[in-house]
Amino acid sequence: QVQLVESGGGLVQAGGSLRLSCAASGRTFSRYVMGWFRQAPGKEREFVATISESSIRTYYATSVKGRFTISRDNAKNMVYLQMNTLKPEDTAVYYCAAGPRGGSAEYEYDNWGQGTQVTVSS
């Protein structure tokens, strides 16, 4: 098990940038695939990005590809989501997740953070 705490959310104007951080507890962080998901008001939670244990592989949702970058620092037990060229439709609660296999489906992750709000104004 790993505990996850997100930070870095806030209010930003369209076209701006934010970097989300996720701090993980535990000595096994480097064994987990990490992911970011988001949930907008009235919508289902959706996949944003994932990164493999050693950062070799990353995968993005089509809606964020080219604007968002996921990265991790296993020495610090941290995962990040750099978000550039933000759009109002990126407004959501963003969740960090950890799983043994990872992927783009929620069921592939068994550890979740509490979420951080990102609001993009037009």
Side-chain angles (χ1 to χ4, degrees), residues 1 10 21-22 25 28 35 50 78 84 88 92 94 98 100 105 108 119:
Q1 289 289 331
S21 299
C22 175
S25 65
T28 59
T50 186
M78 296 290 295
N84 298 329
Y94 282 72
E108 295 176 289
T119 303

Side-chain angles (χ1 to χ4, degrees), residues 33-34 50-60 70 101:
V33 176
M34 299 299 297
T50 186
I51 187 167
S52 62
E53 298 91 323
S54 57
S55 303
I56 291 177
R57 292 183 302 276
T58 58
Y59 179 66
Y60 298 91
I70 188 171
R101 297 185 307 276

Side-chain angles (χ1 to χ4, degrees), residues 19-117:
R19 189 175 84 150
L20 304 183
S21 299
C22 175
S25 65
R27 293 179 290 180
T28 59
F29 172 75
S30 62
R31 298 180 187 175
Y32 287 91
V33 176
M34 299 299 297
W36 285 98
F37 288 74
R38 68 186 182 185
Q39 187 168 21
K43 294 189 177 181
E44 303 263 327
R45 188 155 56 184
E46 65 175 4
F47 167 76
V48 174
T50 186
I51 187 167
S52 62
E53 298 91 323
S54 57
S55 303
I56 291 177
R57 292 183 302 276
T58 58
Y59 179 66
Y60 298 91
T62 302
S63 59
V64 308
K65 196 170 185 180
R67 300 188 297 122
F68 291 11
T69 302
I70 188 171
S71 61
R72 66 190 294 166
D73 184 337
N74 286 345
K76 296 181 179 179
N77 280 17
M78 296 290 295
V79 63
Y80 306 99
L81 186 68
Q82 178 66 44
M83 306 185 294
N84 298 329
T85 320
L86 282 161
K87 304 176 182 180
E89 51 263 44
D90 294 318
T91 295
V93 177
Y94 282 72
Y95 297 90
C96 176
R101 297 185 307 276
S104 59
E106 287 188 53
Y107 71 83
E108 295 176 289
Y109 298 85
D110 47 20
N111 298 274
W112 292 84
Q114 84 289 348
T116 185
Q117 175 71 47

